[in-house]
């Protein structure tokens, strides 16, 4: 195994996750505000789950998003 290759592949994957996740979260929140389901002042619970099935890895990260 080449550790440099592994490092680059993990970083590439995490960059994709970060960019697409941010876009999806922002889109969902803006749509909910437009539809009146959110006022735009809430604190939202957020959870990200990372799974690597071949290694039985499941890691969850919980957080909050403050909209104001």
């Amino acid at each position: 195994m080449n550790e440099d290759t592994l490092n680059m592949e993990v970083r590439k994957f995490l960059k994709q996750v970060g960019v697409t996740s941010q876009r999806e979260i922002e889109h969902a929140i803006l749509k909910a505000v437009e539809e009146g389901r959110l006022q735009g002042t809430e604190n939202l619970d957020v959870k990200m789950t990372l799974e690597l099935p071949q290694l039985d890895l499941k890691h969850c990260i919980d957080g909050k998003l403050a909209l104001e």
Side-chain angles (χ1 to χ4, degrees):
M1 179 180 78
N2 184 315
E3 288 185 36
D4 289 334
T5 300
L6 172 61
N7 183 277
M8 291 302 296
E9 288 296 308
V10 170
R11 287 176 179 264
K12 196 167 34 173
F13 175 74
L14 291 175
K15 183 177 180 180
Q16 180 182 2
V17 168
V19 170
T20 57
S21 297
Q22 181 175 353
R23 182 175 41 230
E24 291 296 319
I25 291 168
E26 289 174 349
H27 175 75
I29 291 171
L30 291 172
K31 183 177 179 185
V33 170
E34 286 175 5
E35 294 175 349
R37 293 183 289 133
L38 290 176
Q39 293 181 6
T41 58
E42 295 86 353
N43 290 321
L44 304 175
D45 295 326
V46 63
K47 181 176 186 173
M48 178 65 75
T49 303
L50 170 69
E51 294 187 44
L52 211 162
Q54 292 155 312
L55 301 179
D56 294 324
L57 171 66
K58 185 172 185 178
H59 180 73
C60 296
I61 301 170
D62 296 307
K64 292 210 178 275
L65 298 175
L67 301 185
E68 194 169 87

